Structure formats: C-alpha cells, structure tokens
Amino acid sequence: DKGMNPDGMGAEEPLESNSGGITEGRTDGPMLPVYFDFDSSEIRDNQVSRVTNNATFIKSQSNTIRIEGNCDPRGTNEYNMALGERRALSAKKYLVNLGVSEARLSTISYGEERILLHGQDELSWAQNRRDDFVVVQ
C-alpha cells in the first residue's frame, strides 16, 4: 500500500483539521464524540474525560448543541432508534450534571441510519456506537 511504513502502520495523519479542531465521528471540534459499549447507554469510565471536555467547551460558548445518538447496525431499526435516544439522553444528563444549561442541549437519535464505518467487524461497530456533539447555532 502507498503510504504504509515498514511496521505496517499507515502514514501518520495530522489530527488537526482546517476547522481548528479534531474531527472525529460527526462531532464539531474541539468537542469529542463519546463511545458506548454494545447495547449500552452508560457513559463508560474511559469516556468521562470526553464528556468533561465537551462540557468545558459548551460552557465557554453561547451556542445550542445537538447530541446525536448513533448505533451499530446490529438489532432492529426500532430498537436502535430507542437505544440511540437513550445514548443521547445519557450524555445530556451528564452534561447538565456538569453545569451545562439543559436549555442549550437538544437530542436526536439516528439509530443505525448514519453509519460511519460500514465494516462488519468490532472495530467498525465500535466507531458507530457513539454520541456526536454538533453546534447548531
């Protein structure tokens, strides 16, 4: 493969995008997506720093933020829409507990409708099990 170095790792890509923040998932930088375990809407311990980072950013702004819940494609559409909503509400509750005004947060579930990675493997599924944080206005 072009761009591969001898130890099998791809060429290093810069994390910074032109928008001045890290782009990951469909989240607006400098906020970060929050990832979930299979069939869970619990904020994992290793994701708490991401939620805290997002809370700090949101509190420094005056915008409204839309929390978009996403799922991997396993399970029925209906189930995943409900799971995506639980994931979005879970992050919203966490942000409110960190002092973000509830009025500035909206939630939506995309369930499995906006798949980011289409692979049928755990790596792809794990990337699809996330909340994105999008600046609305």
Side-chain angles (χ1 to χ4, degrees), residues 56-68:
T56 302
F57 172 77
I58 295 166
K59 287 191 276 188
S60 75
Q61 306 290 307
S62 58
N63 305 345
T64 304
I65 304 297
R66 185 174 62 237
I67 306 168
E68 302 178 346

Side-chain angles (χ1 to χ4, degrees), residues 18-52:
N18 293 337
S19 65
I22 297 167
T23 54
E24 199 184 317
R26 293 189 174 91
T27 291
D28 290 332
M31 292 183 292
L32 297 166
V34 171
Y35 296 97
F36 294 89
D37 288 331
F38 176 68
D39 198 24
S40 171
S41 58
E42 297 282 312
I43 304 287
R44 303 190 315 222
D45 289 347
N46 69 353
Q47 299 296 300
V48 167
S49 64
R50 288 172 167 258
V51 182
T52 306

Side-chain angles (χ1 to χ4, degrees), residues 65-69 88 91-92 95 105-108 131-133:
I65 304 297
R66 185 174 62 237
I67 306 168
E68 302 178 346
K92 178 181 179 179
L95 288 168
L105 301 171
S106 66
T107 60
I108 188 168
D131 282 340
D132 279 321
F133 298 81

Side-chain angles (χ1 to χ4, degrees), residues 71 76-87 89 109 111:
C71 301
T76 65
N77 285 356
E78 296 76 18
Y79 185 86
N80 283 333
M81 287 302 279
L83 179 57
E85 183 66 12
R86 287 196 303 276
R87 286 175 173 165
L89 290 170
S109 174

Side-chain angles (χ1 to χ4, degrees), residues 73-124:
R74 295 172 292 174
T76 65
N77 285 356
E78 296 76 18
Y79 185 86
N80 283 333
M81 287 302 279
L83 179 57
E85 183 66 12
R86 287 196 303 276
R87 286 175 173 165
L89 290 170
S90 180
K92 178 181 179 179
K93 182 179 172 190
Y94 212 109
L95 288 168
V96 169
N97 287 340
L98 290 171
V100 176
S101 165
E102 189 170 356
R104 296 189 39 219
L105 301 171
S106 66
T107 60
I108 188 168
S109 174
Y110 288 115
E112 59 184 79
E113 290 177 4
R114 298 182 75 195
I115 295 291
L116 202 62
L117 294 181
H118 288 275
Q120 294 296 310
D121 57 80
E122 183 51 38
L123 190 68
S124 300

